Amino acid sequence: MQLNNDEIRRYSRHLILPEVGLAGQKKICSTSVVCIGAGGLGSPIAMYLAAAGIGKIGLVDFDTVDFSNLQRQIIHGTPDVGHPKTESAKATIQRINPNVEVVLHNTRISSENAMEILAPYDIVVDGTDNFPTRYLTNDACVLLKKPNVYGSIFRFEGQASVFAPHLNGPCYRCLYPEPPPPGMVPSCAEGGVLGVLPGIIGTIQATEILKLALGLGSSLVGRLLLFSALDMKFRELRLRPDPQCPLCGENPTVTKLIDYEMFCGITPPPAVPASNPDEVSVQEMKKALDNPALGIRVIDVREPDEHQIAHVKGVPLFPLSTLPRQFTELEPNQQIYIHCKSGVRSMRALHFLREQGFKYLKSVKGGIGAWSDEIDHNVPKY
Amino acid sequence: MPVSVLVLFCSDQAVSGCYKSAVQVRVHFYSYFKDLAGLAEVTESVAPGSRLEDFLQKLFLRFPKLAAMKKSALVAVGIDYQAGDYVLAEGDEVSLFPPVQGG
C-alpha cells in the first residue's frame, strides 16, 4: 500500500518517529480492529484508532444513545440521543478520519454470530459492559487465535490486559474461571462510574492495539494493569496461563461457544412477564399515597444520595443498608408498599421484612423509574 | 496484631512456641471487595507451611459476605498471580481483586 500526500501530512507525527516511520504507519493502515461495544471504553478506543489511521474498524453494538451515556461516551453527542450507537460512532470516526473503513454490526453479539463477526479482523477489543459478553468475547478470541485487548471499569477503578494464549499469555478464564453469582456484582448503571475513567482505560487499550499492530514494545500479554483514580495509582499483576483452564489449558473442555447467559446464571426474562403476587404497580402506589384512609404505608429503600437526586414527595426513606437497624420503626401488621429505583432492592427489602415477621408487604414494580414514566414526569430519572 | 486469631490456630499447641513460628500475612481487598469485607486491609497470622487455598477458606469464614465470590476472585501474592497450592511466607502481601464488568 502507498500513502498519498494528504495521508503523509496527516500521519507526519507518526512518520517522524523512528520506531514507527513509513513502514509502521503502513502496518497501522493495513490493520483491522473490531470493537465490541461502542460505549464508555469503545468511545476513546474507536476515536484514537481512527485518528491513528487503523485501516478498518468494526463496531458491534445493538443499543441506542441515551442521555445517561453522554457523561462518558464521548464518541456520541447530545444530538445523537435516540440514534443507534454504531451509526453515531461511525459519524464521529469519519469526521476524524475519512480514510478509515467503518463496518457496522448493529446487532447483539451472541454465540450464534460471534465467530462470523470477529473472524475477518486482526485484533478484537473488549469494551462490553456485562459478564456474559466478556466470556463470549474471550472464548471466541481464543478459538480464533486472535488477541483480545481487554478493559473494564467500575466506579473509580479499572483494569486492562491483553489476552492471547496463542502468544503464550493467559486468557480471561485463567484469571476468572467462574463468573460471579448473578446479582453480586453491580454494573455501572447500578454502581456508577467516574466519567473520565473509561477515557483512561480505553486509551490504554488503544495504545496496546497500536503496539500490537506495529509489533513494538512489551504488550500487556501476561500482565493485568490495575488503575485507581482516587489514589491515582497504577498497579500491575504478573499473570500466567492456567494449565487447568477449561478453554486454553492442557485438556480443554470448552471447544466451542456455549450459552453465556446460562453460564453466568442469568435466566432470560419470560416472553410474557408473569404477574408477581408480591408486586404492585406505580398506579397502586399512587392510590395508596392519595388515600391515607386505606392505611397503606409507602416506604423508599434507596440510599440517601439517591433520595437527593429524586424522590416521591411524602415517602419516608428506610435505606436498605440500614433497614436491619431501622425496621423496628415499622408496624409488622400494617400494609406496606416498598419502592426503590427499579424494583430489585425493594424485593430484597420485602424478603428481609417478611423474615422479620411482616405480613402485608408489596414491592412497587419498576420503582421510581416507573413512577417517573407513568405518574410524574417531573421526577427525574437517573 | 489480633491476638485472638493467634490463639485460634494455636489452640492445640504451646502458645509460646507458636508466637515464634507464626507467619504474618497482610491482606488487601480491592474495589467492591472493600465493601463486602468492611475494610481495605487486615493482617492475619497463619501457621507456617499454610497453603494459600486453606488460608482463603479461613478468610472467607471470617468475611462471610466475600464467600459468595470465592470462585470469582483474582488472588495475587505480591505482584504475582498465585494458585491455591502456593505456600505463604512471612511478610507476604495477599491481594484479592474482584471481577468488574463495566465498559
Side-chain angles (χ1 to χ4, degrees), chain A residues 161 163 169-178 222-224 226 235-246 248, chain B residues 52-53 56 70-88 93-97:
Chain A
S161 188
F163 298 124
C171 78
Y172 183 67
R173 281 179 186 257
C174 298
L175 271 69
Y176 301 111
E178 284 188 26
R223 294 186 289 152
L224 180 70
L226 299 146
R235 273 179 57 105
E236 172 183 328
L237 284 187
R238 274 202 296 252
L239 307 170
R240 39 166 205 261
D242 178 4
Q244 312 291 321
C245 177
C248 72
Chain B
L52 182 59
E53 199 170 37
L56 291 174
K70 65 180 167 191
K71 288 182 179 163
S72 314
L74 175 63
V75 184
V77 181
I79 64 158
D80 287 295
Y81 166 83
Q82 291 295 356
D85 57 0
Y86 173 84
V87 175
L88 290 163
E93 305 246 334
V94 177
S95 302
L96 275 79
F97 300 92

Side-chain angles (χ1 to χ4, degrees), chain A residues 64-66 70 75-84 87-89 91-92:
Chain A
T64 52
V65 180
D66 184 83
L70 300 177
I75 205 165
H76 313 298
T78 309
D80 302 318
V81 170
H83 295 284
E87 284 172 23
S88 158
T92 304

Side-chain angles (χ1 to χ4, degrees), chain A residues 278-341:
Chain A
D278 287 337
E279 282 182 332
V280 289
S281 65
V282 283
Q283 285 76 15
E284 285 166 280
M285 169 172 152
K286 183 172 191 308
K287 208 187 286 172
L289 288 170
D290 289 347
N291 302 285
L294 293 172
I296 302 169
R297 184 103 199 253
V298 182
I299 65 166
D300 177 355
V301 293
R302 296 171 307 143
E303 300 304 313
D305 290 353
E306 298 177 84
H307 187 267
Q308 271 188 12
I309 302 168
H311 60 266
V312 177
K313 215 174 158 196
V315 177
L317 195 59
F318 285 81
L320 186 60
S321 59
T322 53
L323 196 58
R325 290 203 300 275
Q326 262 191 301
F327 76 87
T328 48
E329 296 164 30
L330 296 165
E331 168 53 52
N333 291 313
Q334 190 181 12
Q335 217 183 132
I336 303 174
Y337 288 180
I338 310 161
H339 90 78
C340 63
K341 184 185 177 197

Side-chain angles (χ1 to χ4, degrees), chain A residues 39-41 127-131 134 150 152-155 157 159 174-181 184-188 224 226 235-240, chain B residues 28 30-32 34-36 65-83 85-86 93 95 97-103:
Chain A
L41 293 169
T128 60
D129 60 358
N130 62 85
F131 287 118
R134 291 200 180 276
Y150 160 85
S152 70
I153 50 169
F154 182 61
R155 290 189 179 153
E157 292 170 68
Q159 36 183 267
C174 298
L175 271 69
Y176 301 111
E178 284 188 26
M184 275 300 288
V185 184
S187 65
C188 287
L224 180 70
L226 299 146
R235 273 179 57 105
E236 172 183 328
L237 284 187
R238 274 202 296 252
L239 307 170
R240 39 166 205 261
Chain B
H28 302 266
Y30 282 83
S31 187
Y32 57 88
K34 276 184 255 191
D35 305 328
L36 293 178
K65 281 184 181 170
L66 272 180
M69 296 293 294
K70 65 180 167 191
K71 288 182 179 163
S72 314
L74 175 63
V75 184
V77 181
I79 64 158
D80 287 295
Y81 166 83
Q82 291 295 356
D85 57 0
Y86 173 84
E93 305 246 334
S95 302
F97 300 92
V100 294
Q101 57 182 338

Side-chain angles (χ1 to χ4, degrees), chain B residues 42-62:
Chain B
V42 65
T43 302
E44 297 280 292
S45 295
V46 299
S50 292
R51 285 160 14 118
L52 182 59
E53 199 170 37
D54 304 325
F55 170 65
L56 291 174
Q57 289 291 352
K58 282 184 194 161
L59 199 70
F60 290 132
L61 286 176
R62 247 193 86 182

Side-chain angles (χ1 to χ4, degrees), chain A residues 26-45:
Chain A
K26 284 181 182 172
K27 283 185 196 164
I28 294 174
C29 291
S30 53
T31 297
S32 58
V33 178
V34 59
C35 184
I36 323 275
L41 293 169
S43 289
I45 294 168

Side-chain angles (χ1 to χ4, degrees), chain B residues 13-24:
Chain B
Q13 42 182 295
V15 171
S16 59
C18 177
Y19 265 90
K20 280 176 199 158
S21 52
V23 169
Q24 301 287 308

